[in-house]
């Protein structure tokens, strides 16, 4: 039995059980046994297959899993923190005669391991190989994977003489587990395992500063992050490239890709509709950049905190304009072109009961003659 023989639902349940810090000792054994009953399989054998890529009979697998849990307790006492099941598994099985076979490096043929550093005699994997390996690693561990695309502002891209120093400077500023590659003529790509969105964005800003110093030209950075089964490095690269263009349009140095969360398509609004923002009895002008049935993206002169309740007063461009009143709640706020200064970007959400009015506005439908759009 191998990880590929197990359904995704089974693998997810196994990772959930092993990732529960409270599932230790007898409780861990009970949770694994319940998992086996739920999916009608040899549970300990499946757990060992997913966590260490080892297949053995169910009684022996149970002994090994419980031994790993015991080693986990020992390591927790030594380290002062819980190392997790995966680390304890590596420690125990490596000590037991090198039984552990790292699945990310095991293919049908043989994929050489990543080099410890330049000059160790082992060729570094290609970008495509590294993307495949890191995708599998993220899927197996459930940890996030960040992909950073760095693009120069030079019209013709980097010259061969400049690309070498840029790569060298970038590699000097990354971790040993990170992967750096060039994507001529204008881009560099960094794979950051176990890195979330905020950490990835901070790393991208640091990479930009390093490259500006090494090359003397401007750089833009795009960041995309996925986790677990959503951490496909190749797709994340595409999203990061779109974030680079977003950074260029906004005039910022770096941008983080944010997946579309709205259930309904957005419609650009811009200056076509005059908008005011009412809060605490005070109304101020605002710009509605786009809108959907569920929410809108606003450009604000004053920063609002997430969770704030506001009212939008919208005036459609008609001969006899009426005011459409839309209650909304601030969901997310981010910086605009200049960090910490106006204008800010705010995503707001609408309550379901006002969506009919929003639909009429988006469709260009004004209330019937004699009707009143004012709520």
């Amino acid at each position: 039995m191998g990880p590929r023989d197990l359904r995704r639902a089974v693998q997810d349940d196994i990772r959930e059980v092993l990732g529960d810090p409270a599932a230790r000792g007898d409780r861990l054994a009970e949770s694994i046994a319940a998992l086996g009953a739920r999916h009608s399989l040899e549970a300990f054998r499946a757990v060992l297959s997913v966590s260490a890529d080892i297949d053995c009979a169910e009684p022996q697998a149970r002994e090994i899993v419980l031994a790993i849990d015991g080693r986990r307790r020992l390591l927790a006492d030594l380290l002062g923190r819980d190392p997790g099941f995966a680390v304890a598994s590596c420690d125990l099985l490596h000590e037991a005669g090198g039984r552990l076979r790292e699945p990310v490096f095991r293919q049908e043929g043989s994929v050489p391991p990543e080099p410890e550093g330049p000059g160790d005699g082992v060729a570094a994997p290609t970008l495509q190989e590294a993307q495949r390996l890191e995708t599998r690693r993220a899927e197996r561990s459930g940890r996030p994977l960040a992909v950073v695309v760095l693009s120069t502002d030079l019209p013709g891209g980097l010259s061969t003489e400049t690309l070498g120093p840029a790569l060298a400077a970038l590699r000097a500023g990354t971790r040993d587990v990170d992967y750096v590659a060039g994507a001529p003529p204008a881009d560099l790509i960094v794979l950051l395992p176990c890195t979330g969105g905020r950490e990835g964005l901070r790393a991208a800003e640091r990479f930009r500063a390093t490259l500006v110093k090494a090359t003397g030209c401007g750089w833009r950075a795009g960041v995309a992050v996925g986790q677990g089964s959503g951490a496909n490095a190749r797709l994340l690269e595409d999203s990061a490239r779109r974030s680079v263009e977003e950074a260029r349009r906004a005039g910022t140095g770096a941008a983080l890709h944010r997946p579309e969360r709205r259930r309904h398509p957005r419609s650009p609004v811009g200056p076509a509709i005059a908008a005011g923002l009412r809060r605490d009895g005070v109304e101020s002008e605002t710009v509605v950049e786009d809108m959907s049935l569920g929410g809108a993206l606003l450009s604000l002169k004053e920063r609002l905190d997430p969770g704030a309740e506001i009212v939008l007063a919208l005036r459609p461009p008609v001969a006899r304009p009426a005011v459409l009143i839309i209650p909304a709640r601030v969901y997310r706020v981010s910086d605009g072109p200049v960090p910490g200064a106006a204008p800010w970007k705010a995503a707001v959400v609408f309550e379901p009961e006002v969506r009919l009015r929003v639909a009429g506005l988006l469709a260009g439908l004004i209330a019937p003659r004699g009707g009143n759009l004012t709520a």
Side-chain angles (χ1 to χ4, degrees), residues 84-329:
F85 189 89
V87 173
S89 171
C90 291
D91 184 70
L92 177 68
L93 297 176
H94 177 72
E95 184 177 285
R99 293 180 59 183
L100 181 64
R101 297 170 295 165
E102 177 57 64
V104 74
F105 295 130
R106 183 181 57 79
Q107 302 290 336
E108 290 75 4
S110 177
V111 177
E114 295 184 34
E116 295 296 331
D120 65 350
V122 180
T126 65
L127 175 60
Q128 291 74 22
E129 290 173 341
Q131 288 173 330
R132 176 166 45 82
L133 296 177
E134 292 302 339
T135 297
R136 293 185 61 195
R137 192 198 307 272
E139 289 177 344
R140 190 177 70 254
S141 67
R143 301 301 302 275
L145 171 66
V147 176
V148 180
V149 173
L150 297 137
S151 180
T152 177
D153 288 339
L154 292 176
L158 293 175
S159 64
T160 306
E161 294 76 12
T162 309
L163 179 60
L167 285 171
L170 197 54
R171 289 185 175 122
T174 55
R175 305 169 299 179
D176 292 341
V177 297
D178 300 335
Y179 179 88
V180 179
D187 298 339
L188 302 177
I189 296 175
V190 186
L191 308 183
L192 301 173
C194 302
T195 303
R198 293 182 180 179
E199 296 84 357
L201 197 56
R202 285 197 295 266
E205 291 286 7
R206 189 175 69 251
F207 296 158
R208 284 185 59 248
T210 298
L211 291 172
V212 169
K213 185 177 180 180
T215 64
C217 62
W219 289 80
R220 309 281 178 174
V223 185
V225 177
Q227 186 166 355
S229 60
N232 184 308
R234 186 66 189 88
L235 297 180
L236 291 175
E237 178 191 340
D238 294 338
S239 298
R241 289 186 183 279
R242 290 194 293 271
S243 295
V244 170
E245 298 307 316
E246 179 183 338
R248 280 203 172 94
R249 288 193 298 270
T252 59
L256 174 64
H257 172 72
R258 299 186 184 276
E260 179 60 66
R261 297 182 179 179
R262 298 196 205 173
R263 297 180 180 179
H264 309 284
R266 303 183 184 211
S267 298
V269 177
I273 297 178
L277 188 150
R278 299 176 182 176
R279 187 178 183 226
D280 299 331
V282 178
E283 180 171 334
S284 58
E285 292 185 1
T286 188
V287 175
V288 181
E289 296 191 358
D290 64 52
M291 184 182 296
S292 68
L293 290 181
L297 179 64
L298 309 180
S299 180
L300 305 176
K301 295 182 179 180
E302 295 184 5
R303 194 182 191 282
L304 296 177
D305 294 326
E309 300 291 338
I310 64 172
V311 174
L312 288 179
L314 306 178
R315 299 172 179 85
V318 295
R320 299 175 60 186
V323 179
L324 181 63
I325 303 300
I326 303 292
R329 176 174 52 85

Side-chain angles (χ1 to χ4, degrees), residues 315-357:
R315 299 172 179 85
V318 295
R320 299 175 60 186
V323 179
L324 181 63
I325 303 300
I326 303 292
R329 176 174 52 85
V330 178
Y331 180 78
R332 183 180 66 245
V333 179
S334 61
D335 287 331
V338 180
W344 284 272
K345 304 290 185 181
V348 300
V349 294
F350 302 145
E351 296 300 326
E353 55 267 22
V354 304
R355 291 180 179 175
L356 185 60
R357 283 176 276 165

